[in-house]
Amino acid sequence: MQSDLRGRDLISDLDFSKEEVETILDVAWDLKRKRALGEPHAYLRDKVLAMLFFFSSTRTRGSFEAGMAQLGGHAAFIESRTTQISHGDTEKEMGEIFGRYFDGIAIRHVDWGIGNRYLNLVAEASRVPVLNMQCEIYHPHQCLADIMTIIEKKGRELRKKKMVVSWAYASSYLKPISVPQSLILQMPRFGLDVTLAHPPEFKLMPEIMDQAQEQAKKFNTSFEVVDDMEEACKDADIIYAKSWGPLLTTQDPEEGKKIQDQYQHWIADDAKMALGKDDVIYMHPLPADRKIEVADSVIDGKHSVVFDQAENRMHAQKAVMALTMR
Ligand code: CP
């Protein structure tokens, strides 16, 4: 167990070593147990987290805010459009100033080519931890909840288990690529064999793919890429199927929609789930485009663990906050 994570930022999934992630998971389960028993766990009494949002959220906002309250502190919800950022407050100023008011700064900024840089510049100037509530490259707190859920459902011995991270069709908007990128970085460290499936236009960032290959090699797991959802789902233990935009191909929403519309058959439906093992689980970070990205019978069916995943956001984030913001 790595016992001192005080003051650390969590921006990229690989910012914490595998041992440090295991520490977070251990603390998350302890906090989950304490909440179930109604045991007080006010480790962050009088501490305040700034939650700065440049993009909408349901789960991330709710889980960070509830989590801080349960830890005895408070979370301040700040929408960027209600601040003076558009009138000149720089990243350095935000880091310097919010670092003096708050005990942690959590930021969601998913704009392509801008969000991750913004978080890193705020972190450089801040004296308190900066926590990534999703940027265009990573969604590390989602990924912590995901590995926590996988271990709860499949046990700690994950070696030789097959996890499919698949693109799925959605029509609502060009979703960020941060969830699949975080998954392919983190999951090999826990022994999972990862199969990434997507149509050709939906590639992930080459540097993230290289890092994922390195992690797979280091942890002696397999990492393969296919362009066929059915092929990917065969014998899967875990099917994590969600949409992301063709952002390396185009950032134009109209052009992106035209590309996406060619692949409407990439839906997580009963036929795809039937290709997996009998006890395959279906995962999605939500929100999902129901009937388009995933069939109701799958997301509401016996294989789905999406609500446990959403719940675990809160427990995992409480652990990160308790360990970094003390
Ligand atoms: N999964 C997730 O990040 O949900 P929100 O966008 O609602 O925060």
Side-chain angles (χ1 to χ4, degrees):
M1 173 176 263
Q2 300 294 309
S3 56
D4 191 1
L5 296 177
R6 264 179 300 190
R8 294 273 297 277
D9 301 320
L10 178 51
I11 297 177
S12 149
D13 297 85
L14 303 183
D15 284 349
F16 289 170
S17 68
K18 187 194 174 206
E19 289 73 23
E20 288 167 340
V21 173
E22 282 174 342
T23 300
I24 290 164
L25 296 176
D26 284 347
V27 172
W29 277 305
D30 182 50
L31 295 174
K32 188 171 183 176
R33 187 188 65 81
K34 285 189 164 84
R35 179 164 161 76
L37 292 170
E39 285 179 17
H41 48 281
Y43 298 118
L44 294 181
R45 195 179 295 285
D46 301 328
K47 304 267 185 181
V48 186
L49 175 75
M51 299 188 303
L52 176 58
F53 282 92
F54 290 79
F55 191 75
S56 53
S57 165
T58 302
R59 282 144 290 273
T60 304
R61 179 190 173 177
S63 53
F64 268 101
E65 194 161 336
M68 267 310 282
Q70 290 162 23
L71 290 166
H74 172 72
F77 172 62
I78 303 160
E79 281 187 286
S80 65
R81 66 181 175 82
T82 66
T83 69
Q84 300 281 32
I85 291 172
S86 65
H87 299 152
D89 282 332
T90 65
E91 294 90 340
K92 181 172 171 13
E93 286 162 4
M94 294 303 288
E96 276 284 355
I97 296 166
F98 272 18
R100 296 173 192 220
Y101 298 159
F102 296 102
D103 301 286
I105 306 171
I107 304 173
R108 168 170 281 195
H109 198 333
V110 298
D111 288 354
W112 187 252
I114 297 173
N116 182 263
R117 183 170 182 275
Y118 188 91
L119 268 83
N120 279 293
L121 289 173
V122 172
E124 266 175 34
S126 168
R127 62 180 68 174
V128 299
V130 169
L131 305 179
N132 184 353
M133 295 196 294
Q134 188 177 22
C135 66
E136 80 278 30
I137 303 178
Y138 310 109
H139 198 353
H141 292 90
Q142 177 67 54
C143 197
L144 291 174
D146 295 340
I147 186 62
M148 187 174 174
T149 308
I150 289 169
I151 292 172
E152 286 176 352
K153 304 298 174 190
K154 298 285 176 193
R156 281 189 184 262
E157 184 44 65
L158 296 174
R159 206 153 278 282
K160 298 286 163 215
K161 298 230 183 280
K162 177 178 177 182
M163 176 168 191
V164 176
V165 177
S166 177
W167 184 84
Y169 174 67
S171 59
S172 52
Y173 70 107
L174 303 188
K175 300 183 184 187
I177 59 177
S178 45
V179 168
Q181 296 203 144
S182 285
L183 292 169
I184 64 170
L185 290 175
Q186 191 70 268
M187 295 309 169
R189 300 164 117 195
F190 287 85
L192 284 160
D193 290 332
V194 175
T195 298
L196 175 67
H198 60 73
E201 297 89 343
F202 293 84
K203 289 192 171 58
L204 302 182
M205 293 169 68
E207 54 270 44
I208 299 293
M209 293 294 287
D210 288 347
Q211 287 178 337
Q213 289 284 9
E214 276 167 30
Q215 293 301 309
K217 196 169 170 201
K218 182 172 171 189
F219 290 93
N220 200 23
T221 62
S222 77
F223 175 53
E224 63 166 348
V225 186
V226 299
D227 61 4
D228 181 325
M229 193 174 184
E230 269 102 6
E231 182 192 335
C233 290
K234 275 180 201 150
D235 297 323
D237 295 282
I238 301 152
I239 297 177
Y240 198 124
K242 80 170 299 294
S243 178
W244 62 84
L247 294 168
L248 267 71
T249 307
T250 179
Q251 283 109 56
D252 177 58
E254 273 187 30
E255 198 185 336
K257 173 112 177 60
K258 271 192 209 147
I259 295 171
Q260 290 200 159
D261 284 351
Q262 301 173 81
Y263 300 109
Q264 298 191 20
H265 55 291
W266 284 63
I267 177 174
D269 57 13
D270 291 308
K272 311 273 192 337
M273 295 305 294
L275 295 169
K277 300 221 174 89
D278 289 347
D279 62 350
V280 62
I281 57 172
Y282 166 79
M283 301 184 76
H284 192 294
L286 304 179
D289 284 24
R290 279 173 173 260
K291 301 182 174 60
I292 295 172
E293 192 177 1
V294 54
D296 285 342
S297 54
V298 170
I299 198 165
D300 296 326
K302 65 179 182 181
H303 299 290
S304 175
V305 300
V306 297
F307 296 127
D308 292 332
Q309 246 182 295
E311 177 185 338
N312 282 337
R313 289 291 304 274
M314 185 174 75
H315 305 301
Q317 289 157 199
K318 283 170 72 178
V320 173
M321 292 188 288
L323 288 161
T324 61
M325 289 172 57
R326 278 188 303 131

